[in-house]
């Protein structure tokens, strides 16, 4: 089953034609309504009346996160405030929130692409979906919620956290689908194992995981622990929210379909901003083609990935590889480039370490120093009878924790080639944003 076969299987030449027409319309729309784009177009010598569509797109320059901050809160809106039906925010754990707005029409499209995504993830009308993405200003909760309703699912809007309640509902309501961040899905899998909950007690079949980078190793753990088929769902508030791209459950590991009729993707070189050769890695840049409240052209997502067409498959839309990191997350430490996902790969091979970690870079004199702060699995601390927040002193007093710290540091050194200090923490010690995410990198060095 496809949610919208006519569009999802639209032959490429027609899809391009549709994108071209929509892009030209969107360019004319922002030129008439958004001072930020009026200024940008004037500076680049662009006029909607003569704009040639996709082939001229790169002339537009980029829209960046700072443009949202500079126009806080409503400066990028293309409609009067009373036409905005909903507001969301993309809030990091630091800094001013990024505000995004939607008209009723935008919310319809939001639900449509999420419904398409959920079908690709394995959902069928009549199934029940437990939604463990945070409800609130974060786009994950409500975004999935309305798409699931549009598809005809029964939604269990439990929101993030409260592991006891999540597990209770999984057993009592017996949903077939779980939507959660991959790290929270790992926590649930671990708790099910620890509590000895029998596989038959839970009826899950599918999990749509996203909102943060994850790896094949995490997929295997979640699939084995929750007895599901786990797919990737990607999105970002500035462009919409979840549902910009989604992996098909039968094509797991081959990339996520990006819904090209509403979002036009490009991959550019992180240094030069120029398009990279087809299929190569670079920064994902997205343009909205149909948004009314807050149309955004050439948004620099900062997410590193690649795009390719896979002609042997169910849909015609382009596929996006997994997010390999963020352009601004990459750290150069004593000359070595590394992405925090490399630390994540090591974590997924270690018992008793949770997926919650943060890499902190500092500089002492002219020397870079890196610490990895990571939360230990709750179950281990309970076994050790440790209920107070972990401190280095406590870690040194417990042989097992000291060894765990040493093993982790050694693996980092062996695999990444850098010495990093490992700080073990208790669950909840690292700061999370409202969406339950935590930023995996903090670069506190003065000279970058
Ligand atoms: O995280 C929207 C979302 C909600 C997506 C639920 C999927 C599921 P933001 O809070 O604006 O929006 O954060 C967007 O999160 O630029 C990526 O860096 C990261 N991200 C989102 N999905 C994925 C994914 C939501 N599947 C930022 N894989 C994006 C890797 C992801 N990173």
């Amino acid at each position: 089953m496809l949610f919208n076969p006519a569009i999802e299987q639209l032959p490429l030449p027609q899809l391009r034609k549709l994108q071209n027409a929509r892009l030209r319309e969107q360019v004319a729309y922002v030129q008439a309504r958004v001072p930020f784009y009026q200024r940008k177009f004037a500076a680049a010598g662009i006029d909607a009346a003569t704009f040639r569509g996709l082939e001229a797109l790169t002339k537009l320059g980029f829209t960046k996160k700072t443009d949202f901050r500079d126009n806080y809160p409503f400066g990028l809106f293309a409609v009067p405030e009373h036409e905005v039906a909903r507001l969301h925010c993309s809030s990091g754990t630091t800094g001013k929130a990024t505000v995004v707005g939607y008209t009723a029409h935008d919310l319809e499209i939001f639900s449509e692409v999420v419904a398409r995504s959920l079908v690709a993830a394995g959902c069928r009308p009549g199934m029940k979906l437990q939604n463990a993405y945070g409800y609130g200003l974060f786009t994950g909760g409500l975004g999935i919620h309305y798409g699931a309703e549009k598809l005809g699912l029964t939604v269990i809007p439990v929101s993030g956290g409260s592991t006891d309640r999540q597990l209770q509902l999984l057993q009592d309501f017996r949903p077939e689908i779980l939507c959660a961040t991959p790290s929270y899905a790992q926590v649930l899998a671990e708790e099910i194992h620890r509590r000895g909950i029998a596989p038959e007690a839970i009826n899950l079949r599918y999990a749509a995981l996203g909102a943060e980078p994850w790896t094949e190793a995490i997929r295997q753990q979640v699939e084995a622990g929750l007895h599901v088929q786990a797919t990737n769902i990607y999105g970002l508030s500035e462009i919409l929210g979840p549902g910009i791209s989604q992996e098909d459950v039968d094509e797991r590991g081959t990339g996520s379909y990006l819904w090209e009729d509403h979002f036009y993707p490009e991959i550019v070189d992180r240094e030069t901003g120029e398009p990279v050769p087809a299929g190569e890695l670079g920064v994902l840049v997205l343009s909205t083609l149909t948004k009314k409240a807050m149309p955004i052209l050439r948004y620099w997502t900062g997410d590193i990935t690649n795009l390719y067409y896979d002609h042997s498959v169910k849909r015609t839309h382009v596929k996006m590889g997994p997010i390999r990191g963020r352009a601004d997350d990459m750290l150069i430490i004593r000359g070595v480039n590394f992405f925090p996902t490399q630390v994540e790969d090591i974590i997924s091979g270690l018992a008793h370490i949770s997926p919650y970690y943060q890499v902190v870079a500092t500089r002492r004199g002219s020397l870079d120093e890196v610490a990895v702060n990571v939360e230990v699995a709750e179950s281990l601390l309970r076994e050790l009878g440790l209920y107070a927040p972990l401190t280095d002193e406590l870690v040194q007093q417990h042989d097992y924790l000291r060894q765990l710290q040493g093993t982790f540091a050694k693996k980092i050194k062996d695999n990444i080639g850098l010495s990093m200090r490992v700080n073990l923490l208790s669950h909840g010690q690292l700061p999370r944003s409202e969406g339950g995410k935590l930023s995996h990198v903090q670069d506190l060095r003065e000279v970058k």
Side-chain angles (χ1 to χ4, degrees):
M1 175 190 163
L2 302 186
F3 184 73
N4 188 343
I7 282 290
E8 292 175 52
Q9 295 181 327
L10 194 66
L12 269 188
Q14 280 164 259
L15 191 54
R16 282 291 168 270
K17 222 169 141 191
L18 180 69
Q19 290 176 318
N20 240 315
R22 287 182 167 174
L23 178 65
R24 278 203 294 265
E25 240 176 72
Q26 190 98 102
V27 164
Y29 181 79
V30 298
Q31 179 167 310
R33 291 166 175 251
V34 186
F36 168 77
Y37 283 112
Q38 286 162 354
R39 287 193 299 271
K40 245 177 137 53
F41 288 3
I46 291 164
D47 183 7
T50 53
F51 182 71
R52 291 202 320 281
L54 295 176
E55 59 176 277
L57 184 60
T58 55
K59 293 212 178 82
L60 296 180
F62 300 111
T63 304
K64 296 216 164 170
K65 184 118 188 155
T66 47
D67 296 320
F68 282 78
R69 301 229 165 101
D70 295 346
N71 290 283
Y72 179 87
F74 303 144
L76 292 178
F77 284 13
V79 295
E81 282 173 41
H82 69 266
E83 284 180 34
V84 175
R86 200 196 295 163
L87 296 169
H88 276 295
C89 288
S90 162
S91 64
T93 42
T94 54
K96 213 187 230 178
T98 301
V99 181
V100 294
Y102 308 77
T103 61
H105 162 269
D106 296 335
L107 291 175
E108 259 305 302
I109 288 170
F110 198 171
S111 298
E112 149 92 25
V113 292
V114 169
R116 280 186 211 173
S117 300
L118 291 174
V119 169
C123 305
R124 297 293 177 269
M127 291 181 175
K128 293 193 272 293
L129 178 150
Q130 183 152 326
N131 189 6
Y133 286 120
Y135 281 65
L137 288 171
F138 176 56
T139 52
L142 288 179
I144 295 288
H145 184 103
Y146 286 106
E149 284 192 352
K150 188 176 176 81
L151 175 59
L153 304 179
T154 306
V155 186
I156 306 169
V158 56
S159 194
S162 346
T163 303
D164 286 338
R165 180 153 19 125
Q166 302 273 0
L167 293 175
Q168 189 73 49
L169 296 178
L170 284 177
Q171 294 173 85
D172 295 349
F173 295 177
R174 300 183 63 72
E176 290 91 343
I177 305 116
L178 172 73
C179 286
T181 57
S183 52
Y184 194 59
Q186 281 181 288
V187 168
L188 289 176
E190 195 204 314
E191 276 302 300
I192 285 172
H193 176 71
R194 192 185 70 80
R195 297 180 192 199
I197 297 173
E200 319 75 76
I202 287 181
N203 194 35
L204 284 177
R205 293 171 59 192
Y206 306 107
L209 311 179
E212 64 188 9
W214 54 302
T215 56
E216 285 301 318
I218 296 178
R219 192 201 305 269
Q220 282 166 20
Q221 281 175 13
V222 171
E223 292 201 342
L226 295 178
H227 304 283
V228 292
Q229 293 181 306
T231 52
N232 183 45
I233 181 161
Y234 167 86
L236 65 161
S237 330
E238 289 86 346
I239 295 297
L240 186 81
I244 287 169
S245 77
Q246 164 73 44
E247 218 173 6
D248 187 281
V249 67
D250 299 323
E251 299 165 16
R252 302 204 297 300
T254 68
S256 305
Y257 289 105
L258 194 147
W259 306 122
E260 282 192 86
D261 53 323
H262 293 295
F263 316 106
Y264 185 78
E266 300 166 74
I267 300 286
V268 302
D269 184 281
R270 55 186 300 162
E271 302 297 334
T272 63
E274 293 298 320
V276 301
E280 288 194 6
L281 284 174
V283 177
L284 177 68
V285 170
L286 289 169
S287 299
T288 62
L289 296 174
T290 51
K291 279 266 280 299
K292 295 289 183 214
M294 204 178 200
I296 299 294
L297 297 172
R298 301 198 84 216
Y299 184 65
W300 177 277
T301 67
D303 293 322
I304 308 268
T305 184
N306 58 341
L307 295 173
Y308 43 90
Y309 285 96
D310 188 351
H311 294 289
S312 60
V313 295
K314 290 185 198 168
R315 299 169 182 83
T316 48
H317 294 226
V318 75
K319 278 187 171 180
M320 184 188 107
I323 303 294
R324 310 295 178 97
R326 293 195 38 89
D328 48 7
D329 263 357
M330 195 185 80
L331 291 171
I332 304 179
I333 304 291
R334 290 169 238 140
V336 178
N337 292 0
F338 98 101
F339 283 107
T341 43
Q342 292 174 269
V343 170
E344 198 161 309
D345 283 339
I346 296 173
I347 289 177
S348 50
L350 282 174
H352 304 306
I353 298 277
S354 84
Y356 298 108
Y357 73 94
Q358 190 171 58
V359 175
V360 183
T362 49
R363 179 162 288 164
R364 185 188 296 180
S366 59
L367 206 67
D368 293 331
E369 292 189 328
V370 189
V372 178
N373 298 329
V374 66
E375 293 179 3
V376 172
E378 267 182 295
S379 49
L380 174 68
L381 296 183
R382 235 177 274 137
E383 256 168 54
L384 295 174
L386 287 171
Y387 297 100
L390 270 190
T391 56
D392 197 47
E393 209 181 333
L394 274 173
V395 171
Q396 299 315 318
Q397 285 165 13
H398 285 79
D399 288 349
Y400 189 82
L401 290 177
R402 216 177 43 241
Q403 272 167 22
L404 191 60
Q405 187 185 39
T407 310
F408 192 9
K410 181 165 183 326
K411 279 194 184 285
I412 291 176
K413 176 81 185 138
D414 291 348
N415 289 293
I416 305 176
L418 288 167
S419 300
M420 300 187 195
R421 184 183 162 68
V422 170
N423 297 315
L424 300 182
L425 304 172
S426 308
H427 181 71
Q429 274 188 280
L430 288 169
R432 272 104 164 139
S433 71
E434 194 199 355
K437 294 196 248 189
L438 57 85
S439 126
H440 289 308
V441 178
Q442 265 200 310
D443 195 349
L444 304 176
R445 294 171 296 176
E446 271 164 25
V447 195
K448 285 201 182 174

